[in-house]
Amino acid sequence: MRIIAVLSLLLLFLLPSCNWNMYSSGLDDIEEDTENVSGITELFTGEAPRNIYASQSNYPGRVVISFDAVNGADSYDIERTIRDRNSEASESPVWKIISTIKDDDSARYTFVDNTAADGSKIYTYRVRANSLYAEITAGVVGAYSEEASGWPLSPPVSLSATQGTYTDRIVLEWSRMDLVRGYDLYAYVPDEASAEVWSKINTTTIPSSYGTDTISYSYYPDEDAYGKDIYFKVRSISRGGSESGDSGYRTGYTFKVGSPLAPEDLSAGDSVSSIYIPISWKQPETEGAEGSYYRWEIVRSTPITDEETVKVFQSDAIPTDVSLVDGYYTYKDMMAESELEPGVEYTYTVRAVLVEPTAEGLEESIGIAASDTGKIISPAITMGETKTVYPSGSEGGSFTFTIAAPPADFTDTSGWSYNIYGRNNYLDKEVGDWIPIQMDIPVTFDPITITVDYSEYKVNEFDVRIVDKEGEESVGYTSFFGSPIVTERAPAPATSLITVTKNKWNSSLTANADGVYPVVLTVGNDSTFTEYQVEAVSADGRSQGTISVKNSETITLDTLSPSKPGESWQYRIRGTDVFGRYSSWSGSVEGYGALTGHAFIKFFEAYAMKPWEFVNSPDFPQNLKTKWNKSTIHSLIDKHGLGSLGDVTESSEFHGGSIRYHSYADGVTGDVEFFYVNFGELETIYSNGSYKMDNVNMNGNNGKCSGTMTVSGMYPATIDFSSLGVTGYAFSGNYKVTQDNGRGMEEVQAVKNE
């Protein structure tokens, strides 16, 4: 009996506690994690986000979107399409992803679209939820939400002010804005002696009447301002009291008897040239008495811009760029000089100022103005619904688009033609020059289909120019990109394009505080894509974040790597192709870093070699605590703090392996032996082999250890106990650890187990 008591004491010292704080990680509860993972697929069913809202005339220069969260989603794609305020919604709108936001367990999400700043546009949004795990494992893709349209709080458009129409007042008009409370009107009277000061001229907010499309306001200036230019601008007031920016200013004035009358037969050429807008009017029979003259002024504006004086000349000194033929003045507002946009409607206002000498000097009288609209001809083309066609493999495909109609206002297309140019443009950075793609395409009333092969031209931005009957080519229209007219995503990158490390390290890497090295990722080269997003996904199927990489780039994922021993993540990529589109996600590959020798031994001891020592750690997984506290081996080893003689085999619930505990006495000495067969409490580590403490005497000395164990799984290694002894009721000496650390099997360190 004494031998048993001695051996019990001996075992107490031979199996000491290391007081090691367990790593807290996804290892915490393997059984529960497995249930949660399967639950994610059931939880995310592809439900569309609900209660989507887009602000309307609430915020200057932006639209705010909000929507409800979706159970199981890890991110949300926000898509947008744009149309002119005065146009009908398209039956085949072009949608573009403008942002992807990460799910952070909020109940509702808000996104601010700071690029939705144009008050003449309607911005329509939809949202789709994503679940990486559900998509990978079950092919579940989120449905789109309902659509919501919004627009920024913007100043009114089409402000006008009468110019010489009345002798005592100036009537101002502007287009009513949707869903605003009203307007404030500001005026400025030029004074050479003082600075520019704008004053609000309405005492109460001008209401936004819903019975009309036009708001009108009559302003009565002081008599000393009769016949003088007064500048006006208007602002919108939101329902919440916010104020928009300024509209484009307009000039207004009253009529002074004796001033010139309005120009007759004023015409601004509407779509008659591809490079200029001609402004013409009839020359008055008299342009002033002897010693006097008319000063002609031509002012240009658009519904949203300030007035801009484009030409001033005197009737007694006609410049070379103004012609007088058959009693008509003509001035050509050139596209190249004025940076006019094709197809944009410009308002031209022409007036004569009578300049005549008096005893005090020259006196000016502003005449009544006349206005007309005109524009440079443009291919007011309707782009037919198009798709980018990809051949098999990773070669770039082709763009196909349709010129569905000739330029507006055409009655005769003969003699007109299109020239089509292309260039490469990536993220608004012009990569190449314009090159001719297809030239001298006759303008017809029938649709024209254009196909551009990317692999031949390497372009993704196009410019359709028109050549008039005189052979003049337009300076260049607002170009359009391939991406807005492509309605489907690019194909997913091949999974083989990604290489991530498993159990690898090198001298340039640094392990974290828990002894885990980061994952290194390499992306190959696919000419279809210009950039990639890499996403890391933890074992529970949740996204851990993304990072951008280029073709043929190798990066260390310091912030996107498993941080605890035994953790393994999945990695996938999606590309941005030459057409500016995000592709679908690739398949996933597994990645994890190596462990330092110290971290490996602690990990190995806790989960395979001596799990009973760690069972009382607060961080030890509860399911393993329950198992070991109920095990026979645990009761023999740790019975009231003392080891006991016995022979028992325990099976592993997880892998079907087993561990055998064998302790016996032979005279005044005894042996303790542990046998492991495919044993490991984690999917990431398995142990085989045995270690033995031989001939330990009653004083806890002179014992020798023997045996070898092998470890497989994430961190392969061999443990050799032959250099370990027993002295003073404790291990003495060293393990010999030969670990596969990614550079091959080598001895990384000998660890004294103290």
Side-chain angles (χ1 to χ4, degrees), residues 550-608:
K550 303 288 187 182
N551 272 309
S552 304
E553 183 175 7
T554 297
I555 58 174
T556 301
L557 301 178
D558 293 304
T559 60
L560 287 182
S561 294
S563 60
K564 305 297 181 182
E567 283 188 314
S568 174
W569 287 1
Q570 297 290 319
Y571 295 88
R572 66 175 187 170
I573 62 173
R574 66 177 179 179
T576 301
D577 70 2
V578 294
F579 307 111
R581 306 171 304 163
Y582 272 129
S583 74
S584 303
W585 287 102
S586 70
S588 298
V589 295
E590 182 185 30
Y592 51 87
L595 295 182
T596 63
H598 178 73
F600 167 78
I601 289 172
K602 294 299 184 182
F603 184 56
F604 165 71
E605 285 186 354
Y607 286 102

Side-chain angles (χ1 to χ4, degrees), residues 381-410:
I381 52 180
T382 302
M383 303 308 297
E385 181 178 348
T386 58
K387 295 183 179 180
T388 299
V389 180
Y390 279 89
S392 60
S394 60
E395 292 296 322
S398 59
F399 291 110
T400 299
F401 55 90
T402 302
I403 303 175
D409 304 324
F410 258 42

Side-chain angles (χ1 to χ4, degrees), residues 68-343:
D68 290 343
V70 173
N71 288 336
D74 51 40
S75 67
Y76 303 89
D77 287 338
I78 300 174
E79 297 187 7
R80 183 184 73 186
T81 187
I82 307 173
R83 64 180 172 89
D84 290 332
R85 180 179 288 273
N86 59 359
S87 67
E88 297 294 329
S90 171
E91 294 182 359
S92 302
V94 175
W95 293 94
K96 183 177 181 180
I97 296 176
I98 60 172
S99 182
T100 298
I101 61 177
K102 185 177 179 180
D103 185 282
D104 60 5
D105 295 327
S106 298
R108 189 166 175 83
Y109 292 89
T110 298
F111 173 76
V112 179
D113 185 2
N114 289 309
T115 65
D118 189 342
S120 67
K121 305 293 184 183
I122 300 292
Y123 300 88
T124 302
Y125 303 86
R126 67 183 185 184
V127 181
R128 181 168 66 180
N130 303 302
S131 169
L132 173 62
Y133 185 82
E135 184 179 346
I136 292 175
T137 60
V140 177
V141 178
Y144 284 109
S145 69
E146 294 183 350
E147 298 173 11
S149 295
W151 51 87
L153 174 64
S154 303
V157 297
S158 302
L159 173 64
S160 66
T162 55
Q163 299 178 312
T165 306
Y166 306 97
T167 59
D168 63 342
R169 81 197 75 165
I170 301 168
V171 178
L172 299 117
E173 292 183 340
W174 58 87
S175 298
R176 181 181 65 84
M177 303 299 288
D178 292 332
L179 300 178
V180 300
R181 187 175 71 188
Y183 313 91
D184 282 338
L185 192 58
Y186 293 81
Y188 157 61
V189 181
D191 184 351
E192 295 180 359
S194 60
E196 179 178 322
V197 178
W198 291 84
S199 301
K200 188 167 71 170
I201 59 177
N202 55 297
T203 55
T204 60
T205 299
I206 301 169
S208 186
S209 302
Y210 285 93
T212 178
D213 292 333
T214 303
I215 308 297
S216 182
Y217 184 90
S218 294
Y219 172 67
Y220 294 85
D222 296 333
E223 289 188 11
D224 59 1
Y226 283 2
K228 295 181 180 180
D229 284 333
I230 302 176
Y231 296 88
F232 300 91
K233 61 187 178 184
V234 64
R235 298 174 182 171
S236 299
I237 308 299
S238 76
R239 291 158 293 175
S242 299
E243 191 175 55
S244 74
D246 296 327
S247 67
Y249 74 76
R250 294 294 180 265
T251 305
Y253 51 89
T254 58
F255 179 72
K256 180 180 178 182
V257 177
S259 299
L261 298 178
E264 294 183 34
D265 297 339
L266 176 66
S267 172
D270 190 5
S271 299
V272 299
S273 171
S274 60
I275 60 174
Y276 63 83
I277 299 174
I279 301 96
S280 65
W281 65 96
K282 187 177 181 180
Q283 182 189 30
E285 293 182 1
T286 175
E287 292 184 279
E290 185 177 351
S292 64
Y293 59 88
Y294 278 6
R295 184 176 71 243
W296 291 101
E297 298 176 351
I298 304 175
V299 173
R300 182 184 65 230
S301 64
T302 71
I304 61 174
T305 60
D306 291 336
E307 293 177 339
E308 181 181 1
T309 300
V310 296
K311 188 63 182 178
V312 177
F313 67 94
Q314 296 178 188
S315 60
D316 60 351
I318 301 174
T320 57
D321 58 351
V322 177
S323 65
L324 180 57
V325 178
D326 296 332
Y328 280 82
Y329 286 115
T330 300
Y331 170 74
K332 296 180 178 179
D333 195 11
M334 304 298 295
M335 183 178 184
E337 296 174 3
S338 299
E339 297 183 353
L340 302 177
E341 294 289 341

Side-chain angles (χ1 to χ4, degrees), residues 41-52:
T41 306
E42 298 172 1
L43 185 60
F44 183 79
T45 61
E47 177 186 359
R50 298 179 179 178
N51 299 321
I52 182 171

Side-chain angles (χ1 to χ4, degrees), residues 357-363:
T358 66
E360 290 78 20
L362 295 177
E363 181 177 301

